[in-house]
Amino acid sequence: MSETTGDRPEVRVQPEYDATFRERIAKNKRNSLFLFAVFFAFVVAFGYVLGYAYVGDPVGALFGLFLALVIGTISGLVSYFAGDRMVLAASRAREATHEEYPVLYNVVEEMRIASGLPMPKVYVIDDSAPNAFATGRDPEHASVAATTGLLEKLDRDELQGVMAHEMAHVANFDIRYSMMVGILVGTVVLASDFFLRTLWFGGGRNRGGNSGGGGYVQIIMLVVALLLAILAPVFARLLQLSISRQREYLADATAVKLTRNPKGLADALAKISGDNEVLEVANRATAHLYIANPVKGFEKRAKSMFSTHPPIQERIAILRGMGA
Amino acid sequence: MLIIIFVVIAVVLVVFAISTYNGLVRRRNEVEEAYRQIDVQLKRRYDLIPNLLEGVKKYFRQEQEVLTSITEARARAMKPQSPGQQAQSEAQLSGTIGNLFAVAENYPDLKSNTVLLDFQEELSSTENKISFARQHYNDSVQVYNTKIQSFPAVIFSRMLGFTEKEYFEAVGPERESVTVSYN
C-alpha cells in the first residue's frame, strides 16, 4: 500500500502538548505584540525627527509625528491582515491545485489531519532551489508554499517531513510573528531609503539658517534623521535575529510528532543543505521564513550571531538521534 | 478583613473551578472531533474507490478478480458492524488495494501509466490520512486522559462524568486482535 505508513521506525516522541505547547503559543503572541510596539515607537520617533528635519520647527515635527502615526497604524494593520498575501506575492508564489500538484496537496492535507488544524492554502514557487515556508496570521488564515525544486528533488516521505515542519510553525503561531517581522522590517527599510533619496531634492525648506535658532536645531535633526535612516537597516536586521533559532528546533520536534518519522525530515534537510542552487525570490525580508536559510554561503558561519537559522547539520543530528 | 479574604479566596476557587471544567469540556470535544475525522477519511476512501476503479478498469481486463475483491471488501467495510469487525474489514480493504498495486508491478507499461499513478497516489494518501486521523485521535485522547487524571481535575472529573477515552489500537493485517473502542 502506502510507502509512508508501512515499516515506519518505532519512534517515541515526548508528548510536549498542553502546558508547554500553550506556553509557546502565548509567548509567540506576546512577541508579536512586543514587536509591534517597538516598531510603532520607532516609526513615531522617526516621524518626529524627519518632520523636524524637513520643515525646521516643532510644528513640522508634530506634523511628521502625526503622519508617522497614520502610516505606522496603516502598515501595522496591513501587515496583520494582508501580510501573508504580500509575502506570497513577493515570493512569486501561485496557488497549487490538487489537480496540478496532487502529491504536494495530499501531503499537506495529511499533515493538517495529523495536527488537527484547518487546511491551509497551498502555494508553489517556480524556482529550482528546494525550499518551503509557511505564513499567515493564525491557523485559520495560513498558507504553505513549496518551490518546484523541492517537489522535484525530494521523495514523498521527505516532502512530508518538510510540510510537517511548516504545519508545526502554523500550529505554534510562529507564522504570525515571522510574517509581521518580514513586513515591518521591509517597511522600515523602505521608509529609510525613501528619506535618504529625497534628502538631496526638496528637503529642508528653510535650511540655511535665515530664521535664527530654528535652523540650528533643524541641522541637528537632519543629522539624527540621517543616522536613523542609516541605522534602520541594522535595526531591521537585529529584529530578524531576535526570532529565536530555538523555534526551528521546536518546529522540527513537532514535525516528528506529526509524521512519527524523523528520517523523512532529516533526509530532506540533508538534501536541501547539500543543494547549491540559489533561491532567487528570497530576500532579506523573507529569508527567515524558509525552512532552511535560502541565502547561500551561510553554513560557513552558521554559528554566528547573525544567522536566521540554526546550523542545519545540528538539526539533522538531533533528528537522527530520534531514530532517523 | 477576614471576610474580604474569604470572599477573595472563594472567588478565586470558583473562577479556577470554572476554567478547569471548561478546559475539560474543550478537551472532550476535541477528542470527539478527532474521532469524527477518522470517519470523514474512511468515507472519503469509500467514495474514492469506485471512481478510481473506473479509471483503471480497461487496463485491468485480465485481473478482474483484483477489482472485484476491492469492490467486495468496500461493500463489507461499509456495512454497519461492531467496531472490532469494522477495523478488520478496513484492514482487509487496505489489503485488497495493496494487491492491486502489487499486480500493477507486473505490467511495465501500466506502471508508468499516469492514470494508475494518480490512482496510486490518491489511495496511498487516503490510507495515510486515515492513519494520521487515528494518530490525531490518539494524541487528543492522551491529552484528555492526562488532563482528567491530573490534579486538580481528578477531584471532580469522575463525578461530572469525564471518563477516560480509549485509544485506537494499531490496526494492520499483521496484528491479530483488533480493538476499536469509543464511548
Side-chain angles (χ1 to χ4, degrees):
Chain A
M1 289 162 286
S2 109
E3 301 91 324
T4 31
T5 43
D7 38 84
R8 242 190 231 161
E10 185 64 28
V11 184
R12 292 246 49 82
V13 186
Q14 193 57 38
E16 30 153 308
Y17 49 85
D18 219 40
T20 52
F21 187 67
R22 265 159 218 292
E23 273 165 28
R24 202 189 312 153
I25 290 170
K27 189 160 179 259
N28 273 325
K29 285 182 177 171
R30 271 201 307 278
N31 281 345
S32 296
L33 204 67
F34 176 73
L35 173 76
F36 186 71
V38 168
F39 165 77
F40 208 78
F42 181 83
V43 166
V44 168
F46 203 41
Y48 185 87
V49 172
L50 277 189
Y52 212 120
Y54 268 115
V55 182
D57 54 42
V59 179
L62 285 178
F63 179 70
L65 188 141
F66 174 75
L67 207 66
L69 270 174
V70 171
I71 292 171
T73 308
I74 290 173
S75 87
L77 288 175
V78 166
S79 96
Y80 184 80
F81 288 105
D84 53 346
R85 268 167 279 160
M86 290 165 80
V87 166
L88 289 162
S91 314
R92 277 180 249 138
R94 58 189 169 86
E95 203 156 353
T97 58
H98 182 256
E99 287 69 39
E100 207 182 346
Y101 296 97
V103 177
L104 173 66
Y105 202 90
N106 281 338
V107 163
V108 172
E109 198 173 0
E110 286 162 25
M111 288 304 100
R112 79 109 194 133
I113 290 168
S115 58
L117 293 171
M119 183 69 183
K121 288 204 192 107
V122 185
Y123 286 84
V124 286
I125 298 163
D126 291 301
D127 197 303
S128 51
N131 228 321
F133 70 82
T135 185
R137 65 176 183 271
D138 53 39
E140 280 75 33
H141 302 87
S143 302
V144 293
T147 62
T148 46
L150 189 83
L151 302 180
E152 280 157 24
K153 286 163 186 169
L154 301 192
D155 70 24
R156 203 177 192 286
D157 275 4
E158 291 160 359
L159 187 64
Q160 194 183 48
V162 171
M163 287 302 137
H165 174 99
E166 298 310 334
M167 287 308 282
H169 279 317
V170 173
N172 298 347
F173 271 84
D174 292 342
I175 51 170
R176 175 186 294 180
Y177 186 51
S178 305
M179 177 190 80
M180 286 182 73
V181 168
I183 302 294
L184 299 184
V185 162
T187 310
V188 168
V189 172
L190 271 178
S192 312
D193 273 2
F194 179 77
F195 171 70
L196 287 174
R197 272 155 218 262
T198 53
L199 196 62
W200 317 117
F201 297 103
R205 183 149 49 82
N206 55 354
R207 201 178 337 168
N210 53 3
S211 56
Y216 189 62
V217 182
Q218 189 184 6
I219 287 169
I220 293 174
M221 285 302 192
L222 204 64
V223 171
V224 173
L226 205 62
L227 273 175
L228 274 179
I230 291 165
L231 287 177
V234 179
F235 167 85
R237 192 91 186 100
L238 280 172
L239 256 185
Q240 277 188 341
L241 299 177
S242 77
I243 301 168
S244 163
R245 275 159 250 166
Q246 200 62 27
R247 289 180 328 128
E248 291 299 323
Y249 291 121
L250 284 169
D252 286 349
T254 312
V256 173
K257 190 190 163 222
L258 295 181
T259 59
R260 303 284 205 269
N261 176 16
K263 191 176 181 298
L265 183 55
D267 291 351
L269 288 177
K271 271 192 194 172
I272 292 169
S273 69
D275 197 277
N276 285 321
E277 294 210 40
V278 177
L279 186 60
E280 274 107 24
V281 291
N283 55 41
R284 280 209 278 171
T286 57
H288 66 289
L289 290 173
Y290 289 89
I291 183 166
N293 197 325
V295 184
K296 294 290 171 182
F298 136 89
E299 286 299 329
K300 273 173 250 153
R301 50 188 178 83
K303 295 214 173 195
S304 95
M305 280 174 58
F306 296 100
S307 61
T308 54
H309 286 67
I312 210 159
Q313 297 310 329
E314 216 164 293
R315 290 168 65 187
I316 294 171
I318 289 171
L319 289 166
R320 300 267 186 237
M322 293 182 193
Chain B
M1 186 61 195
L2 213 58
I3 295 169
I4 296 174
I5 292 172
F6 274 127
V7 168
V8 167
I9 290 174
V11 167
V12 167
L13 280 178
V14 166
V15 168
F16 191 68
I18 290 173
S19 76
T20 309
Y21 177 80
N22 287 347
L24 289 179
V25 170
R26 198 181 61 233
R27 291 287 171 218
R28 186 168 61 186
N29 288 341
E30 274 170 21
V31 170
E32 271 152 28
E33 165 63 22
Y35 189 75
R36 270 192 292 278
Q37 277 302 309
I38 303 174
D39 279 346
V40 169
Q41 295 309 322
L42 287 175
K43 188 171 179 307
R44 187 177 283 183
R45 178 160 71 165
Y46 301 145
D47 294 346
L48 199 61
I49 288 170
N51 289 338
L52 292 168
L53 285 184
E54 195 59 40
V56 291
K57 208 187 238 166
K58 60 174 188 252
Y59 302 94
F60 264 77
R61 269 201 203 104
Q62 294 100 23
E63 310 283 352
Q64 201 56 49
E65 73 276 16
V66 177
L67 301 184
T68 29
S69 72
I70 294 179
T71 314
E72 280 165 11
R74 173 178 176 269
R76 265 199 305 280
M78 284 174 77
K79 267 191 222 122
Q81 52 198 323
S82 79
Q85 287 170 327
Q86 169 78 46
Q88 237 148 18
S89 336
E90 287 301 333
Q92 259 170 15
L93 180 56
S94 299
T96 56
I97 292 167
N99 274 346
L100 182 125
F101 295 140
V103 168
E105 291 292 309
N106 301 332
Y107 299 81
D109 53 326
L110 196 62
K111 259 199 306 191
S112 54
N113 181 284
T114 51
V115 175
L116 187 81
L117 287 177
D118 291 349
F119 181 45
Q120 182 152 3
E121 165 57 27
E122 284 316 305
L123 276 176
S124 313
S125 179
T126 312
E127 297 274 327
N128 286 352
K129 283 167 192 162
I130 293 166
S131 93
F132 283 123
R134 284 176 182 155
Q135 178 183 310
H136 177 62
Y137 169 76
N138 280 346
D139 286 350
S140 314
V141 169
Q142 186 178 26
V143 173
Y144 170 76
N145 283 353
T146 310
K147 194 113 186 165
I148 64 173
Q149 288 162 5
S150 326
F151 186 81
V154 70
I155 302 167
F156 58 86
S157 59
R158 228 160 286 258
M159 279 188 311
L160 294 174
F162 291 96
T163 49
E164 278 85 357
K165 301 281 185 194
E166 282 182 61
Y167 290 105
F168 204 106
E169 300 294 332
V171 182
E174 75 277 8
R175 309 277 165 125
E176 278 188 14
S177 70
V178 174
T179 46
V180 185
S181 317
Y182 179 74
N183 320 341

